[in-house]
PDB file of all heavy atoms in Angstrom:
ATOM      1  N   ARG L  83     -50.285  -0.832-152.327  1.00  0.00           N
ATOM      2  CA  ARG L  83     -51.310  -1.986-152.288  1.00  0.00           C
ATOM      3  C   ARG L  83     -51.471  -2.554-153.637  1.00  0.00           C
ATOM      4  O   ARG L  83     -51.456  -1.741-154.681  1.00  0.00           O
ATOM      5  CB  ARG L  83     -52.540  -1.318-151.745  1.00  0.00           C
ATOM      6  CG  ARG L  83     -52.512  -0.837-150.216  1.00  0.00           C
ATOM      7  CD  ARG L  83     -53.857  -0.527-149.818  1.00  0.00           C
ATOM      8  NE  ARG L  83     -54.618   0.407-150.709  1.00  0.00           N
ATOM      9  CZ  ARG L  83     -54.473   1.737-150.570  1.00  0.00           C
ATOM     10  NH1 ARG L  83     -53.722   2.214-149.599  1.00  0.00           N
ATOM     11  NH2 ARG L  83     -55.183   2.555-151.367  1.00  0.00           N
ATOM     12  N   HIS L  84     -51.666  -3.800-153.718  1.00  0.00           N
ATOM     13  CA  HIS L  84     -52.132  -4.411-154.945  1.00  0.00           C
ATOM     14  C   HIS L  84     -53.266  -5.379-154.560  1.00  0.00           C
ATOM     15  O   HIS L  84     -53.105  -6.425-153.823  1.00  0.00           O
ATOM     16  CB  HIS L  84     -51.010  -5.332-155.544  1.00  0.00           C
ATOM     17  CG  HIS L  84     -51.372  -6.069-156.740  1.00  0.00           C
ATOM     18  ND1 HIS L  84     -51.160  -5.476-158.007  1.00  0.00           N
ATOM     19  CD2 HIS L  84     -52.020  -7.297-156.945  1.00  0.00           C
ATOM     20  CE1 HIS L  84     -51.612  -6.380-158.873  1.00  0.00           C
ATOM     21  NE2 HIS L  84     -52.057  -7.407-158.277  1.00  0.00           N
ATOM     22  N   THR L  85     -54.488  -5.064-154.973  1.00  0.00           N
ATOM     23  CA  THR L  85     -55.677  -5.769-154.784  1.00  0.00           C
ATOM     24  C   THR L  85     -55.849  -6.872-155.758  1.00  0.00           C
ATOM     25  O   THR L  85     -56.025  -6.629-157.026  1.00  0.00           O
ATOM     26  CB  THR L  85     -57.003  -4.945-154.806  1.00  0.00           C
ATOM     27  OG1 THR L  85     -56.734  -3.838-153.862  1.00  0.00           O
ATOM     28  CG2 THR L  85     -58.137  -5.599-154.322  1.00  0.00           C
ATOM     29  N   VAL L  86     -55.923  -8.128-155.263  1.00  0.00           N
ATOM     30  CA  VAL L  86     -56.160  -9.314-156.209  1.00  0.00           C
ATOM     31  C   VAL L  86     -57.668  -9.482-156.454  1.00  0.00           C
ATOM     32  O   VAL L  86     -58.516  -9.255-155.661  1.00  0.00           O
ATOM     33  CB  VAL L  86     -55.711 -10.583-155.409  1.00  0.00           C
ATOM     34  CG1 VAL L  86     -55.918 -11.737-156.347  1.00  0.00           C
ATOM     35  CG2 VAL L  86     -54.135 -10.479-155.018  1.00  0.00           C
ATOM     36  N   PRO L  87     -57.983  -9.626-157.783  1.00  0.00           N
ATOM     37  CA  PRO L  87     -59.303  -9.617-158.213  1.00  0.00           C
ATOM     38  C   PRO L  87     -60.034 -10.874-157.649  1.00  0.00           C
ATOM     39  O   PRO L  87     -59.480 -11.983-157.331  1.00  0.00           O
ATOM     40  CB  PRO L  87     -59.309  -9.824-159.690  1.00  0.00           C
ATOM     41  CG  PRO L  87     -57.856  -9.290-160.100  1.00  0.00           C
ATOM     42  CD  PRO L  87     -57.026  -9.734-158.913  1.00  0.00           C
ATOM     43  N   GLY L  88     -61.301 -10.713-157.422  1.00  0.00           N
ATOM     44  CA  GLY L  88     -62.242 -11.754-156.854  1.00  0.00           C
ATOM     45  C   GLY L  88     -62.031 -11.889-155.456  1.00  0.00           C
ATOM     46  O   GLY L  88     -61.743 -10.987-154.589  1.00  0.00           O
ATOM     47  N   GLY L  89     -62.251 -13.143-154.928  1.00  0.00           N
ATOM     48  CA  GLY L  89     -62.137 -13.380-153.533  1.00  0.00           C
ATOM     49  C   GLY L  89     -61.819 -14.913-153.338  1.00  0.00           C
ATOM     50  O   GLY L  89     -61.722 -15.692-154.208  1.00  0.00           O
ATOM     51  N   PRO L  90     -61.832 -15.337-151.968  1.00  0.00           N
ATOM     52  CA  PRO L  90     -61.584 -16.713-151.800  1.00  0.00           C
ATOM     53  C   PRO L  90     -62.701 -17.722-152.228  1.00  0.00           C
ATOM     54  O   PRO L  90     -63.854 -17.298-152.429  1.00  0.00           O
ATOM     55  CB  PRO L  90     -61.580 -16.740-150.194  1.00  0.00           C
ATOM     56  CG  PRO L  90     -61.319 -15.433-149.795  1.00  0.00           C
ATOM     57  CD  PRO L  90     -62.041 -14.651-150.827  1.00  0.00           C
ATOM     58  N   ARG L  91     -62.243 -18.852-152.634  1.00  0.00           N
ATOM     59  CA  ARG L  91     -63.163 -19.777-153.190  1.00  0.00           C
ATOM     60  C   ARG L  91     -64.190 -20.339-151.977  1.00  0.00           C
ATOM     61  O   ARG L  91     -63.895 -20.107-150.849  1.00  0.00           O
ATOM     62  CB  ARG L  91     -62.536 -21.079-153.787  1.00  0.00           C
ATOM     63  CG  ARG L  91     -61.752 -21.874-152.811  1.00  0.00           C
ATOM     64  CD  ARG L  91     -61.148 -23.083-153.580  1.00  0.00           C
ATOM     65  NE  ARG L  91     -59.946 -22.755-154.225  1.00  0.00           N
ATOM     66  CZ  ARG L  91     -59.821 -22.892-155.540  1.00  0.00           C
ATOM     67  NH1 ARG L  91     -60.662 -23.337-156.331  1.00  0.00           N
ATOM     68  NH2 ARG L  91     -58.521 -22.655-156.142  1.00  0.00           N
ATOM     69  N   GLY L  92     -65.252 -20.835-152.319  1.00  0.00           N
ATOM     70  CA  GLY L  92     -66.235 -21.317-151.387  1.00  0.00           C
ATOM     71  C   GLY L  92     -65.670 -22.548-150.385  1.00  0.00           C
ATOM     72  O   GLY L  92     -64.751 -23.254-150.739  1.00  0.00           O
ATOM     73  N   ARG L  93     -66.258 -22.641-149.217  1.00  0.00           N
ATOM     74  CA  ARG L  93     -65.704 -23.520-148.243  1.00  0.00           C
ATOM     75  C   ARG L  93     -66.030 -25.082-148.722  1.00  0.00           C
ATOM     76  O   ARG L  93     -65.037 -25.820-148.669  1.00  0.00           O
ATOM     77  CB  ARG L  93     -66.474 -23.408-146.959  1.00  0.00           C
ATOM     78  CG  ARG L  93     -66.095 -22.029-146.145  1.00  0.00           C
ATOM     79  CD  ARG L  93     -67.000 -21.901-145.040  1.00  0.00           C
ATOM     80  NE  ARG L  93     -66.641 -20.615-144.416  1.00  0.00           N
ATOM     81  CZ  ARG L  93     -65.742 -20.415-143.519  1.00  0.00           C
ATOM     82  NH1 ARG L  93     -64.941 -21.372-143.175  1.00  0.00           N
ATOM     83  NH2 ARG L  93     -65.614 -19.168-142.946  1.00  0.00           N
ATOM     84  N   LEU L  94     -67.116 -25.323-149.233  1.00  0.00           N
ATOM     85  CA  LEU L  94     -67.430 -26.666-149.724  1.00  0.00           C
ATOM     86  C   LEU L  94     -66.420 -27.142-150.855  1.00  0.00           C
ATOM     87  O   LEU L  94     -65.825 -28.228-150.835  1.00  0.00           O
ATOM     88  CB  LEU L  94     -68.905 -26.824-150.153  1.00  0.00           C
ATOM     89  CG  LEU L  94     -69.990 -26.701-149.078  1.00  0.00           C
ATOM     90  CD1 LEU L  94     -71.339 -26.812-149.672  1.00  0.00           C
ATOM     91  CD2 LEU L  94     -69.795 -27.762-148.095  1.00  0.00           C
ATOM     92  N   GLN L  95     -66.168 -26.172-151.820  1.00  0.00           N
ATOM     93  CA  GLN L  95     -65.249 -26.505-152.834  1.00  0.00           C
ATOM     94  C   GLN L  95     -63.894 -26.703-152.343  1.00  0.00           C
ATOM     95  O   GLN L  95     -63.174 -27.496-152.821  1.00  0.00           O
ATOM     96  CB  GLN L  95     -65.211 -25.193-153.777  1.00  0.00           C
ATOM     97  CG  GLN L  95     -64.382 -25.570-155.043  1.00  0.00           C
ATOM     98  CD  GLN L  95     -64.345 -24.317-155.909  1.00  0.00           C
ATOM     99  OE1 GLN L  95     -64.912 -23.251-155.613  1.00  0.00           O
ATOM    100  NE2 GLN L  95     -63.742 -24.436-157.129  1.00  0.00           N
ATOM    101  N   ALA L  96     -63.439 -26.066-151.320  1.00  0.00           N
ATOM    102  CA  ALA L  96     -62.187 -26.162-150.739  1.00  0.00           C
ATOM    103  C   ALA L  96     -61.904 -27.428-149.845  1.00  0.00           C
ATOM    104  O   ALA L  96     -60.769 -27.833-149.674  1.00  0.00           O
ATOM    105  CB  ALA L  96     -61.753 -24.841-149.927  1.00  0.00           C
ATOM    106  N   LEU L  97     -63.017 -27.982-149.380  1.00  0.00           N
ATOM    107  CA  LEU L  97     -62.854 -29.110-148.506  1.00  0.00           C
ATOM    108  C   LEU L  97     -62.175 -30.262-149.027  1.00  0.00           C
ATOM    109  O   LEU L  97     -61.485 -31.118-148.466  1.00  0.00           O
ATOM    110  CB  LEU L  97     -64.324 -29.533-148.011  1.00  0.00           C
ATOM    111  CG  LEU L  97     -64.923 -28.803-146.785  1.00  0.00           C
ATOM    112  CD1 LEU L  97     -66.318 -29.251-146.420  1.00  0.00           C
ATOM    113  CD2 LEU L  97     -63.996 -28.963-145.607  1.00  0.00           C
ATOM    114  N   ALA L  98     -62.410 -30.521-150.331  1.00  0.00           N
ATOM    115  CA  ALA L  98     -61.793 -31.724-150.967  1.00  0.00           C
ATOM    116  C   ALA L  98     -60.283 -31.455-151.258  1.00  0.00           C
ATOM    117  O   ALA L  98     -59.602 -32.417-151.688  1.00  0.00           O
ATOM    118  CB  ALA L  98     -62.522 -31.928-152.385  1.00  0.00           C
ATOM    119  N   ASN L  99     -59.734 -30.369-151.066  1.00  0.00           N
ATOM    120  CA  ASN L  99     -58.418 -30.072-151.235  1.00  0.00           C
ATOM    121  C   ASN L  99     -57.463 -30.640-150.262  1.00  0.00           C
ATOM    122  O   ASN L  99     -57.819 -30.623-149.036  1.00  0.00           O
ATOM    123  CB  ASN L  99     -58.081 -28.509-151.328  1.00  0.00           C
ATOM    124  CG  ASN L  99     -56.887 -28.098-152.099  1.00  0.00           C
ATOM    125  OD1 ASN L  99     -55.721 -28.318-151.469  1.00  0.00           O
ATOM    126  ND2 ASN L  99     -56.884 -27.610-153.272  1.00  0.00           N
ATOM    127  N   PRO L 100     -56.239 -31.260-150.490  1.00  0.00           N
ATOM    128  CA  PRO L 100     -55.394 -31.763-149.572  1.00  0.00           C
ATOM    129  C   PRO L 100     -54.803 -30.732-148.613  1.00  0.00           C
ATOM    130  O   PRO L 100     -54.341 -31.045-147.500  1.00  0.00           O
ATOM    131  CB  PRO L 100     -54.335 -32.485-150.386  1.00  0.00           C
ATOM    132  CG  PRO L 100     -54.322 -31.816-151.713  1.00  0.00           C
ATOM    133  CD  PRO L 100     -55.811 -31.383-151.950  1.00  0.00           C
ATOM    134  N   MET L 101     -54.883 -29.329-149.036  1.00  0.00           N
ATOM    135  CA  MET L 101     -54.459 -28.378-148.011  1.00  0.00           C
ATOM    136  C   MET L 101     -55.432 -27.993-147.088  1.00  0.00           C
ATOM    137  O   MET L 101     -56.686 -28.315-147.398  1.00  0.00           O
ATOM    138  CB  MET L 101     -54.061 -27.098-148.884  1.00  0.00           C
ATOM    139  CG  MET L 101     -52.881 -27.259-149.890  1.00  0.00           C
ATOM    140  SD  MET L 101     -52.347 -25.671-150.486  1.00  0.00           S
ATOM    141  CE  MET L 101     -53.774 -25.224-151.534  1.00  0.00           C
ATOM    142  N   PRO L 102     -55.063 -27.398-145.903  1.00  0.00           N
ATOM    143  CA  PRO L 102     -56.080 -27.004-145.039  1.00  0.00           C
ATOM    144  C   PRO L 102     -57.177 -25.908-145.584  1.00  0.00           C
ATOM    145  O   PRO L 102     -56.774 -25.372-146.528  1.00  0.00           O
ATOM    146  CB  PRO L 102     -55.335 -26.251-143.856  1.00  0.00           C
ATOM    147  CG  PRO L 102     -53.890 -26.822-144.006  1.00  0.00           C
ATOM    148  CD  PRO L 102     -53.766 -27.166-145.478  1.00  0.00           C
ATOM    149  N   LEU L 103     -58.189 -25.819-144.960  1.00  0.00           N
ATOM    150  CA  LEU L 103     -59.405 -25.117-145.590  1.00  0.00           C
ATOM    151  C   LEU L 103     -58.839 -23.727-145.933  1.00  0.00           C
ATOM    152  O   LEU L 103     -59.239 -23.151-147.043  1.00  0.00           O
ATOM    153  CB  LEU L 103     -60.434 -25.036-144.624  1.00  0.00           C
ATOM    154  CG  LEU L 103     -61.782 -24.308-145.111  1.00  0.00           C
ATOM    155  CD1 LEU L 103     -62.426 -24.963-146.255  1.00  0.00           C
ATOM    156  CD2 LEU L 103     -62.839 -24.214-144.044  1.00  0.00           C
ATOM    157  N   VAL L 104     -58.262 -22.899-144.979  1.00  0.00           N
ATOM    158  CA  VAL L 104     -58.007 -21.568-145.319  1.00  0.00           C
ATOM    159  C   VAL L 104     -57.059 -21.451-146.453  1.00  0.00           C
ATOM    160  O   VAL L 104     -56.998 -20.514-147.214  1.00  0.00           O
ATOM    161  CB  VAL L 104     -57.335 -21.077-143.986  1.00  0.00           C
ATOM    162  CG1 VAL L 104     -56.046 -21.465-143.645  1.00  0.00           C
ATOM    163  CG2 VAL L 104     -57.216 -19.439-144.192  1.00  0.00           C
ATOM    164  N   ALA L 105     -56.035 -22.421-146.678  1.00  0.00           N
ATOM    165  CA  ALA L 105     -55.035 -22.235-147.796  1.00  0.00           C
ATOM    166  C   ALA L 105     -55.782 -22.677-148.954  1.00  0.00           C
ATOM    167  O   ALA L 105     -55.525 -22.059-150.088  1.00  0.00           O
ATOM    168  CB  ALA L 105     -53.864 -23.179-147.458  1.00  0.00           C
ATOM    169  N   ALA L 106     -56.627 -23.693-149.031  1.00  0.00           N
ATOM    170  CA  ALA L 106     -57.345 -24.168-150.187  1.00  0.00           C
ATOM    171  C   ALA L 106     -58.290 -22.906-150.715  1.00  0.00           C
ATOM    172  O   ALA L 106     -58.466 -22.807-151.881  1.00  0.00           O
ATOM    173  CB  ALA L 106     -58.127 -25.419-150.032  1.00  0.00           C
ATOM    174  N   ARG L 107     -58.800 -22.207-149.814  1.00  0.00           N
ATOM    175  CA  ARG L 107     -59.703 -21.176-150.168  1.00  0.00           C
ATOM    176  C   ARG L 107     -59.151 -19.970-150.910  1.00  0.00           C
ATOM    177  O   ARG L 107     -59.513 -19.196-151.798  1.00  0.00           O
ATOM    178  CB  ARG L 107     -60.419 -20.597-148.938  1.00  0.00           C
ATOM    179  CG  ARG L 107     -61.523 -21.607-148.388  1.00  0.00           C
ATOM    180  CD  ARG L 107     -62.412 -20.945-147.394  1.00  0.00           C
ATOM    181  NE  ARG L 107     -63.273 -19.941-148.036  1.00  0.00           N
ATOM    182  CZ  ARG L 107     -63.876 -18.974-147.447  1.00  0.00           C
ATOM    183  NH1 ARG L 107     -63.616 -18.562-146.141  1.00  0.00           N
ATOM    184  NH2 ARG L 107     -64.612 -18.192-148.100  1.00  0.00           N
TER     185      ARG L 107
END
Side-chain angles (χ1 to χ4, degrees):
R83 299 187 303 272
H84 181 93
T85 304
V86 177
R91 68 176 81 241
R93 294 177 183 273
L94 289 178
Q95 184 182 6
L97 275 175
N99 196 291
M101 292 188 295
L103 182 65
V104 65
R107 294 192 67 202

